[in-house]
Short mmCIF file of all heavy atoms in Angstrom, two decimals:
data_model
loop_
_atom_site.label_atom_id
_atom_site.label_comp_id
_atom_site.label_asym_id
_atom_site.label_seq_id
_atom_site.Cartn_x
_atom_site.Cartn_y
_atom_site.Cartn_z
N GLY Z 133 -12.69 -37.98 91.88
CA GLY Z 133 -12.84 -37.34 90.58
C GLY Z 133 -13.54 -36.02 90.61
O GLY Z 133 -13.49 -35.30 89.58
N GLU Z 134 -14.17 -35.68 91.70
CA GLU Z 134 -14.81 -34.37 91.83
C GLU Z 134 -13.78 -33.28 92.25
O GLU Z 134 -13.15 -33.43 93.28
CB GLU Z 134 -15.96 -34.42 92.85
CG GLU Z 134 -16.65 -33.10 93.02
CD GLU Z 134 -17.70 -33.14 94.14
OE1 GLU Z 134 -18.01 -34.19 94.64
OE2 GLU Z 134 -18.18 -32.02 94.48
N VAL Z 135 -13.76 -32.22 91.51
CA VAL Z 135 -12.89 -31.05 91.86
C VAL Z 135 -13.51 -30.42 93.09
O VAL Z 135 -14.68 -30.09 93.12
CB VAL Z 135 -12.76 -30.05 90.73
CG1 VAL Z 135 -11.93 -28.83 91.18
CG2 VAL Z 135 -12.10 -30.73 89.52
N VAL Z 136 -12.70 -30.27 94.20
CA VAL Z 136 -13.17 -29.72 95.40
C VAL Z 136 -13.04 -28.18 95.40
O VAL Z 136 -12.23 -27.63 94.65
CB VAL Z 136 -12.45 -30.27 96.63
CG1 VAL Z 136 -12.50 -31.81 96.62
CG2 VAL Z 136 -11.01 -29.78 96.72
N ALA Z 137 -13.87 -27.59 96.23
CA ALA Z 137 -13.71 -26.07 96.44
C ALA Z 137 -13.09 -25.99 97.86
O ALA Z 137 -13.36 -26.74 98.75
CB ALA Z 137 -15.07 -25.42 96.43
N PRO Z 138 -12.25 -24.92 98.01
CA PRO Z 138 -11.68 -24.71 99.38
C PRO Z 138 -12.70 -24.18 100.35
O PRO Z 138 -13.62 -23.47 99.96
CB PRO Z 138 -10.57 -23.71 99.13
CG PRO Z 138 -10.92 -23.00 97.85
CD PRO Z 138 -11.75 -23.98 97.07
N GLN Z 139 -12.49 -24.53 101.62
CA GLN Z 139 -13.34 -23.95 102.69
C GLN Z 139 -13.21 -22.44 102.60
O GLN Z 139 -12.15 -21.91 102.39
CB GLN Z 139 -12.86 -24.47 104.02
CG GLN Z 139 -13.70 -23.98 105.18
CD GLN Z 139 -13.37 -24.70 106.47
OE1 GLN Z 139 -12.54 -25.58 106.50
NE2 GLN Z 139 -14.04 -24.40 107.57
N PRO Z 140 -14.32 -21.73 102.75
CA PRO Z 140 -14.27 -20.25 102.67
C PRO Z 140 -13.27 -19.67 103.67
O PRO Z 140 -13.00 -20.20 104.75
CB PRO Z 140 -15.69 -19.82 103.03
CG PRO Z 140 -16.54 -21.02 102.77
CD PRO Z 140 -15.69 -22.20 103.07
N GLY Z 141 -12.73 -18.53 103.29
CA GLY Z 141 -11.92 -17.70 104.21
C GLY Z 141 -10.43 -17.95 104.14
O GLY Z 141 -9.69 -17.08 104.57
N GLY Z 142 -9.95 -19.09 103.72
CA GLY Z 142 -8.53 -19.28 103.59
C GLY Z 142 -7.77 -19.73 104.83
O GLY Z 142 -6.64 -20.06 104.81
N PHE Z 143 -8.42 -19.64 106.02
CA PHE Z 143 -7.75 -19.99 107.28
C PHE Z 143 -7.80 -21.46 107.55
O PHE Z 143 -6.84 -22.11 107.92
CB PHE Z 143 -8.32 -19.22 108.41
CG PHE Z 143 -7.66 -19.55 109.75
CD1 PHE Z 143 -6.40 -19.10 110.10
CD2 PHE Z 143 -8.32 -20.36 110.71
CE1 PHE Z 143 -5.79 -19.40 111.32
CE2 PHE Z 143 -7.73 -20.70 111.88
CZ PHE Z 143 -6.44 -20.20 112.19
N TYR Z 144 -8.98 -22.09 107.33
CA TYR Z 144 -9.20 -23.51 107.64
C TYR Z 144 -8.93 -24.33 106.36
O TYR Z 144 -8.96 -23.79 105.24
CB TYR Z 144 -10.62 -23.77 108.10
CG TYR Z 144 -10.98 -23.01 109.36
CD1 TYR Z 144 -11.81 -21.91 109.30
CD2 TYR Z 144 -10.45 -23.40 110.59
CE1 TYR Z 144 -12.15 -21.23 110.52
CE2 TYR Z 144 -10.71 -22.71 111.75
CZ TYR Z 144 -11.58 -21.62 111.68
OH TYR Z 144 -11.89 -20.95 112.82
N GLY Z 145 -8.73 -25.62 106.51
CA GLY Z 145 -8.34 -26.46 105.35
C GLY Z 145 -9.33 -27.43 104.84
O GLY Z 145 -8.96 -28.39 104.24
N GLY Z 146 -10.62 -27.20 105.09
CA GLY Z 146 -11.62 -28.13 104.60
C GLY Z 146 -11.83 -28.12 103.10
O GLY Z 146 -11.54 -27.13 102.46
N TRP Z 147 -12.31 -29.27 102.59
CA TRP Z 147 -12.62 -29.38 101.16
C TRP Z 147 -14.09 -29.57 100.98
O TRP Z 147 -14.65 -30.45 101.59
CB TRP Z 147 -11.92 -30.65 100.66
CG TRP Z 147 -10.37 -30.53 100.56
CD1 TRP Z 147 -9.57 -29.59 101.10
CD2 TRP Z 147 -9.54 -31.50 99.89
NE1 TRP Z 147 -8.26 -29.86 100.82
CE2 TRP Z 147 -8.17 -31.01 100.07
CE3 TRP Z 147 -9.77 -32.65 99.20
CZ2 TRP Z 147 -7.09 -31.67 99.56
CZ3 TRP Z 147 -8.64 -33.31 98.68
CH2 TRP Z 147 -7.34 -32.87 98.86
N VAL Z 148 -14.69 -28.73 100.21
CA VAL Z 148 -16.12 -28.73 99.94
C VAL Z 148 -16.38 -29.55 98.67
O VAL Z 148 -15.83 -29.28 97.59
CB VAL Z 148 -16.68 -27.33 99.76
CG1 VAL Z 148 -18.19 -27.37 99.46
CG2 VAL Z 148 -16.36 -26.43 100.98
N THR Z 149 -17.22 -30.59 98.88
CA THR Z 149 -17.68 -31.43 97.71
C THR Z 149 -19.18 -31.38 97.68
O THR Z 149 -19.82 -30.88 98.64
CB THR Z 149 -17.19 -32.85 97.87
OG1 THR Z 149 -17.58 -33.38 99.16
CG2 THR Z 149 -15.65 -32.95 97.77
N ALA Z 150 -19.76 -31.90 96.63
CA ALA Z 150 -21.25 -31.88 96.45
C ALA Z 150 -22.02 -32.66 97.49
O ALA Z 150 -23.16 -32.40 97.74
CB ALA Z 150 -21.63 -32.39 95.04
N ASP Z 151 -21.31 -33.60 98.20
CA ASP Z 151 -21.97 -34.39 99.17
C ASP Z 151 -21.95 -33.82 100.58
O ASP Z 151 -22.38 -34.45 101.53
CB ASP Z 151 -21.43 -35.85 99.17
CG ASP Z 151 -19.98 -35.96 99.43
OD1 ASP Z 151 -19.27 -34.95 99.43
OD2 ASP Z 151 -19.45 -37.08 99.62
#
Side-chain angles (χ1 to χ4, degrees):
E134 178 186 351
V135 175
V136 306
Q139 183 170 359
F143 179 76
Y144 301 106
W147 290 10
V148 180
T149 55
D151 57 351

